[in-house]
Structures are given as structure tokens and as C-alpha cells.
Amino acid sequence: MSTYRVAEVTEAGGSLRIVEREVPRPGPGHVRIAVEACGICHSDAAFVNAALPGVTFPVVAGHEIAGRIEELGDGAGEKGWQPGDRVTVGWFGGSCGHCIPCRQGDFIVCDNLKVPGWAYDGGFAEKTIAPVDALARIPEAFSAVDAGPMACAGVTVFNGLRRSSARPGDLVGVLGLGGLGHLGVQFAVAMGYETVAIARGADKADFAKQLGAHHYVDSTTDIPVAEALRSLGGAKVILATASNSAAITATVDGLSHRGELVAIGADAEALGISPNQLLMRGRIIRGHPSGTAQDVQDTLAFAALHGIRPTTETVPLDQADEAYRKMLAGAARFRMVLTP
């Protein structure tokens, strides 16, 4: 019997422990992937802690998967996939194809979105099985370690910016310099925006400059963030990557007229924004999800062209729990990546 290892959680909030399972065969329209790398995203905690409906244990989390196709299920080859193809699977792990959003072609907001770690076993493992509509090809310029985080963190900021109202030359603020934000700054600069990095502490100014930011705003000074943004002319778009509603709220009055706040940092706390802050200046607040497999390919192609890469720390699968706890503690710089 052939086996493989997974890092599973057997109860809400439990530890990730390594167990062996029998290698499964992929079903129709699916492939089995030999996982080479999988990023650890803060959203994985929603599955580990059973914070979303329908989570069942044991849970194998991980939705920043990069690897090679190992075996095709029936019909997968007809979709153009072959064993050995390098692929990623991100937050978009497939769609149902029959709900209203899917029928309108808006697959990322599918009513029955198949997120790895929620709908099926994710990538904290040596192997995983995924549907073919979840697969994105990895360019040769990308290593598996760099490609994995692009399937969630990368595509989220890339799509959030390219679908915003900002145009080249506009002032764009990126709130947060963590796993999402450090990629957001790089993408914003490459897209031609006058980029403002916003984070806590003067010590992050040099890092923001290394990423290419044209300005840095320290949110811990006596000058309010909104005032600092207005002194630069006001932001056409603020990409809020920080998972902190108070920090997001503090940026709103720094938007220009018709400015747009794009919220991608998840926080259960309510935003403290009044209608008056929006009405007179015609401001917009919008939530933005991740992106489809095609969006992931677009992200990787753009990143390859402009030399954009995540900052990662690789950890063997055996140390999955330690790496996950480091991410939760905010000590990761900036993406913990498991390497089976």
C-alpha cells in the first residue's frame, strides 16, 4: 500500500499533527498533485478553528499550493493537462458551475466555492487532489516556493489593484506590509501608481523603500494617516491589506474625491465609517475576494515580467504546527511556506 503524509487537525483549534494516509486516485475531472510547496495564510485559521460553516474534521488546511500533476482522473487530459505539469491551486479551488454567479461567469464569488482545506483536503500534505478548473500553470521563472503564495496572497492584491478605479500616475495607498501588503506595494509600483506604504513604526520605512514605495506613512506618529495622505494630494485608491478595522477606518478621510477603499484584510470588527464620510466626496468602499485560476495565471505572468516575488521562510512539513503558530503570532516574514 502506498502512503503519503498530511498535517491534519482533529478538533477545532487543535495542533497540526503528521499522519500517514493511503494515496487516493483522482476522480473524474480531478488531478492528483505532488505538493512541492504550500504557503500558510492567515485564512487557514478559519478552517483550523472551525470558524466557517461546514468545516468537518480532520482538517488538512492549505490553499497556496504549488506542485506537479502526478495523476489524471478521467477527462482531465481532455482539458489540456498532463502529468508533470507545474500547477498552483489557491483560495479558488473550483466552482460549482450552476449557481447564479457562475452562470454569470463570476466564478470567484460562487455560492458553493471550493476552497482547499474547507471543501477538500488542502496542501499541508505531500499530495492533494483538486478539480481541473482550480489549476493555474506556473511559469518557468517561478519556483514552487514563490508560486504558492501567489495563488492567494498575490492574486488577491493584484486583482484588487487592477480592478480598482486607479490609473497609472494616481496616488495609491497600501495599508499594511505583511504577507499581502509587501506584495501589494510591489504590484502597485509595477502598475505605475504613485505608491504610499502605510504601516506601524519608523523601522519599516527602509523596507517600504526597498519594495519600491515612493512614500511611507508611519501610522504611529502624531500625524493622522488620513492627514498624511491628504498632504500628498489624497489617495485615489487605498488597498487595505491589514486585518485591523480601526487601522482601515483611519485611512478613509485620506481618500480623494471619488476615492475607493478596497478592503482585503479580514477582520470581524465593524468599520467605524459614517455615511457623511462617503457622501460629500463620492467615496466608495468595496470588498474584494481572491481570483480565479486564470487570475492566478495572470498574476504569475505579470509578476514574472516585473520580477515580483514574495518574501518567504521555508519550513519542512514535519514542522507545520510550529510554522502555523509563528504565522498566528505575526512573526512570519512574510509568508511561511511548507515544503514536503
Side-chain angles (χ1 to χ4, degrees):
M1 180 181 71
S2 180
T3 63
Y4 72 110
R5 299 181 307 151
V6 305
E8 69 173 22
V9 177
T10 56
E11 61 182 2
S15 298
L16 281 69
R17 63 189 187 96
I18 304 298
V19 299
E20 289 195 2
R21 297 182 179 179
E22 186 175 355
V23 175
R25 299 289 303 275
H30 288 66
V31 301
R32 188 174 68 241
I33 300 168
V35 179
E36 296 177 348
C38 186
I40 302 177
C41 176
H42 199 278
S43 298
D44 288 314
F47 311 133
V48 171
N49 296 326
L52 292 170
V55 173
T56 58
F57 291 93
V59 163
V60 179
H63 56 267
E64 293 185 343
I65 304 163
R68 294 180 185 270
I69 294 177
E70 193 172 63
E71 184 178 354
L72 304 176
D74 290 344
E78 298 170 9
K79 303 296 184 181
W81 300 102
Q82 298 296 328
D85 285 348
R86 302 178 70 230
V87 294
T88 64
V89 179
W91 178 264
F92 179 82
S95 57
C96 72
H98 59 75
C99 68
I100 290 176
C102 283
R103 287 171 62 86
Q104 293 175 339
D106 201 356
F107 302 107
I108 189 58
V109 289
C110 169
D111 290 342
N112 307 291
L113 189 67
K114 301 172 185 177
V115 182
W118 190 5
Y120 53 86
D121 286 347
F124 293 0
E126 292 175 332
K127 304 178 190 296
T128 191
I129 288 178
V132 292
D133 64 326
L135 305 179
R137 295 187 185 276
I138 300 176
E140 286 302 318
F142 264 86
S143 68
V145 168
D146 286 342
M150 288 296 191
C152 178
V155 69
T156 300
V157 295
F158 176 75
N159 256 2
L161 288 168
R162 74 168 173 171
R163 295 186 177 183
S164 76
S165 57
R167 296 295 178 263
D170 285 342
L171 189 75
V172 169
V174 178
L175 175 65
L177 282 178
L180 291 165
H182 88 287
L183 288 169
V185 169
Q186 294 178 75
F187 278 117
V189 171
M191 290 177 181
Y193 306 138
E194 184 181 352
T195 305
V196 187
I198 308 162
R200 294 179 56 82
D203 57 316
K204 295 184 177 67
D206 286 343
F207 179 60
K209 184 176 181 180
Q210 291 170 20
L211 295 173
H214 303 99
H215 311 279
Y216 178 71
V217 171
D218 177 2
S219 63
T220 65
T221 68
D222 293 335
I223 302 173
V225 170
E227 183 178 330
L229 290 171
R230 288 197 303 271
S231 72
L232 294 170
K236 181 65 175 179
V237 167
I238 294 171
L239 186 72
T241 74
S243 299
N244 185 312
S245 291
I248 295 171
T249 297
T251 68
V252 173
D253 285 332
L255 288 168
S256 67
H257 64 283
R258 303 290 182 186
E260 180 181 16
L261 172 65
V262 181
I264 61 174
D267 190 356
E269 296 298 320
L271 295 172
I273 298 169
S274 73
N276 288 343
Q277 290 176 277
L278 309 178
L279 292 172
M280 298 302 290
R281 301 290 283 169
R283 293 168 174 147
I284 299 167
I285 300 175
R286 166 171 82 81
H288 173 73
S290 181
T292 65
Q294 183 59 54
D295 292 326
V296 174
Q297 283 194 197
D298 293 346
T299 302
L300 287 165
F302 186 91
L305 186 65
H306 292 277
I308 297 170
R309 299 292 186 275
T311 298
T312 60
E313 181 179 344
T314 58
V315 178
L317 183 64
D318 290 338
Q319 298 174 23
D321 191 67
E322 293 94 323
Y324 172 74
R325 303 296 164 188
K326 186 172 182 178
M327 178 278 297
L328 285 181
R333 290 292 182 268
F334 287 95
R335 252 320 186 251
M336 306 298 297
V337 179
L338 298 178
T339 54

